[in-house]
């Protein structure tokens, strides 16, 4: 797993709606468990997210912003967040 996750910016949860905050926290918990090496079944039991969804979220967090070169980090876990810019 990538060590860049220690440098990910925190999300200001006060800007999220209650529903968005719940989804974000559940996704973040799944990512934290994944980083600690928990089994997919255990993550599913605790968060309801299956292994494929957790890996997809992890990859989304690790994607780099083409402009800054930094990982998207926890921002990628916010519901309906856009991490890729539209390029025509």
């Amino acid at each position: 797993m990538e060590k860049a996750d220690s440098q990910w910016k925190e999300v200001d949860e006060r800007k999220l709606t209650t529903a968005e905050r719940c989804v974000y926290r559940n996704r973040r918990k799944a990512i934290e468990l994944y980083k600690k090496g928990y089994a997919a079944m255990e993550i599913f039991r605790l968060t309801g997210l299956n292994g494929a969804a957790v890996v997809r979220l992890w990859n989304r967090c690790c994607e780099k912003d083409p402009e800054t070169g930094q990982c998207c980090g926890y921002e990628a876990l916010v519901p309906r967040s856009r991490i890729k810019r539209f390029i025509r």
Side-chain angles (χ1 to χ4, degrees):
M1 300 203 189
E2 199 170 300
K3 294 295 180 196
D5 60 330
S6 63
Q7 299 172 358
W8 291 353
K9 290 189 312 184
E10 292 294 322
V11 172
D12 185 4
E13 293 185 24
R14 294 174 295 172
K15 294 180 180 178
L16 304 175
T17 65
T18 304
E20 290 173 335
R21 192 175 307 122
C22 288
V23 171
Y24 167 75
R25 286 180 179 169
N26 194 49
R27 289 177 176 178
R28 175 140 181 190
K29 181 177 181 180
I31 290 297
E32 297 297 330
L33 294 171
Y34 180 72
K35 288 191 309 187
K36 291 178 182 176
Y38 279 69
M41 287 301 295
E42 186 68 10
I43 295 172
F44 179 76
R45 189 180 68 76
L46 295 169
T47 65
L49 294 172
N50 66 28
V54 174
V55 170
R56 181 182 52 79
L57 289 171
W58 174 259
N59 291 334
R60 188 172 155 94
C61 289
C62 292
E63 284 188 27
K64 295 194 183 268
D65 184 344
E67 293 177 7
T68 64
Q70 293 183 326
C71 290
C72 296
Y74 296 123
E75 289 285 330
L77 301 177
V78 175
R80 297 186 312 277
S81 65
R82 295 200 174 244
I83 59 171
K84 290 184 180 178
R85 307 238 188 288
F86 176 75
I87 300 172
R88 188 173 283 239

